[in-house]
Amino acid sequence: MSVSNHENRKSRSSSGSMNIHLFHKTSHADSLLTQLNLLRKRRVFTDVVLRAGHRAFPCHRAVLASCSRYFEAMFSGGLKESQDAEVNFHDSLHPEVLELLLDYAYSARIVINEENAESLLEAGDMLQFHDIRDASAEFLEKNLHPSNCLGMMLLSDAHQCQRLYELSWHMCLANFASLYRTEDFLNLPKDKVQELIFSEDLEAEDESVAYEAVIDWVKADVGRRLGDLPELLRCVRLALLPETYLAPLPVLSGLCLLSCSWGVHTPQ
């Protein structure tokens, strides 16, 4: 179309009124994503390759940067990856999980289930697919149970999922009497054991549960944890323990704790 033809048509149709029509194709966004996904699968116009494990995923930088602040910063900043044709995650990201995130980026759809929810939460947080992180956390909230609440507490704490953390935390406290002998509890870091034992909301019949939890946790790796015992026992209300727990105190891995700094001594 020539410029003059367009100008002539404008003058013929001009009536001085504001007679306009807005055309909006509601399916355009979905159609665009579908076409971009087809281009990705055919490796057309792809300008970066993501690698995880032994798999390679050709992608479009613009699509990745639009979905993830992680990729936006990587491709627009002065990082080495902004110029590289490949980004290699090595073994820090499972290829099946990366594939799910990429399918979401190009389709706005993802299936979250019991097998992939935790991995998607971790990867979504790592690559700043925050909507995937939050959707995975919501799925895990609905599937929270005493059998997994200790693990969910650690996972949500590491990835800033506040609601999942609070729900997990309260479930841990409410079910502590049945949890403290489990492998999940014995593998907790010291700071979490300390927080649980010290909490005023800990539900237990008496203080002996907290005391036994500390002793069992130390016994699980006595070589590394014996030095943590005095600090942990300061969180136990020793005055509320039955007398049988204090005289004599239990022997821990053949070592008699004769003079601990927490202020209770075995009889001579």
Side-chain angles (χ1 to χ4, degrees):
M1 177 189 298
S2 68
V3 174
S4 58
N5 283 342
H6 175 63
E7 293 299 328
N8 288 336
R9 289 171 183 174
K10 283 174 61 178
S11 62
R12 288 201 304 269
S13 62
S14 177
S15 61
S17 67
M18 293 298 292
N19 185 20
I20 62 175
H21 170 66
L22 173 65
F23 172 71
H24 177 212
K25 183 180 179 181
T26 56
S27 63
H28 176 69
D30 286 340
S31 299
L32 183 63
L33 279 176
T34 299
Q35 185 59 29
L36 283 169
N37 204 17
L38 290 173
L39 293 174
R40 173 176 72 111
K41 293 178 178 180
R42 290 163 48 198
R43 302 192 177 193
V44 177
F45 304 133
T46 55
D47 52 5
V48 67
V49 175
L50 305 185
R51 293 190 178 274
H54 299 292
R55 294 186 60 185
F57 303 90
C59 302
H60 303 92
R61 292 172 187 261
V63 174
L64 297 178
S66 298
C67 297
S68 159
R69 292 182 181 178
Y70 175 94
F71 286 114
E72 181 184 9
M74 175 183 289
F75 297 144
S76 63
L79 298 177
K80 176 177 178 290
E81 290 84 354
S82 64
Q83 303 299 324
D84 288 349
E86 290 188 359
V87 177
N88 197 334
F89 292 104
H90 301 284
D91 294 325
S92 64
L93 194 59
H94 196 285
E96 292 181 7
V97 176
L98 178 58
E99 184 175 30
L100 287 172
L101 290 179
L102 293 177
D103 287 343
Y104 170 78
Y106 281 85
S107 70
R109 293 172 176 82
I110 191 169
V111 175
I112 302 174
N113 56 41
E114 292 182 5
E115 295 181 355
N116 64 29
E118 293 182 39
S119 296
L120 283 173
L121 188 152
E122 292 175 333
D125 189 46
M126 171 185 169
L127 299 183
Q128 297 185 44
F129 281 73
H130 290 149
D131 44 359
I132 297 301
R133 179 199 63 187
D134 295 342
S136 300
E138 184 177 353
F139 176 89
L140 291 170
E141 289 170 14
K142 295 176 181 177
N143 291 273
L144 193 61
H145 188 269
S147 64
N148 63 22
C149 61
L150 287 167
M152 291 302 103
M153 176 184 67
L154 294 180
L155 180 71
S156 56
D157 190 33
H159 298 286
Q160 296 81 48
C161 300
Q162 187 62 33
R163 177 174 166 79
L164 178 59
Y165 180 80
E166 291 176 358
L167 292 173
S168 302
W169 173 256
H170 290 299
M171 187 171 289
C172 291
L173 292 172
N175 295 275
F176 188 80
S178 62
L179 292 177
Y180 79 91
R181 295 188 186 277
T182 65
E183 286 296 318
D184 283 348
F185 177 80
L186 297 178
N187 291 325
L188 285 179
K190 184 192 76 172
D191 64 317
K192 289 304 175 189
V193 174
Q194 195 168 10
E195 289 175 21
L196 286 168
I197 296 297
F198 195 66
S199 174
E200 292 293 332
D201 297 320
L202 185 71
E203 294 189 20
E205 290 184 5
D206 55 55
E207 201 67 15
S208 63
V209 172
Y211 174 82
E212 290 176 5
V214 168
I215 297 300
D216 287 352
W217 183 84
V218 172
K219 281 183 177 180
D221 191 357
V222 67
R224 296 174 182 271
R225 298 175 177 176
L226 185 59
D228 296 324
L229 183 58
E231 184 178 356
L232 288 172
L233 284 177
R234 291 192 190 100
C235 299
V236 179
R237 294 173 295 182
L238 298 174
L240 300 181
L241 284 174
E243 185 177 347
T244 54
Y245 280 84
L246 299 175
L249 283 172
V251 176
L252 185 58
S253 289
L255 299 176
C256 186
L257 304 179
L258 294 175
S259 183
C260 290
S261 60
W262 35 274
V264 177
H265 305 275
T266 55
Q268 299 299 319

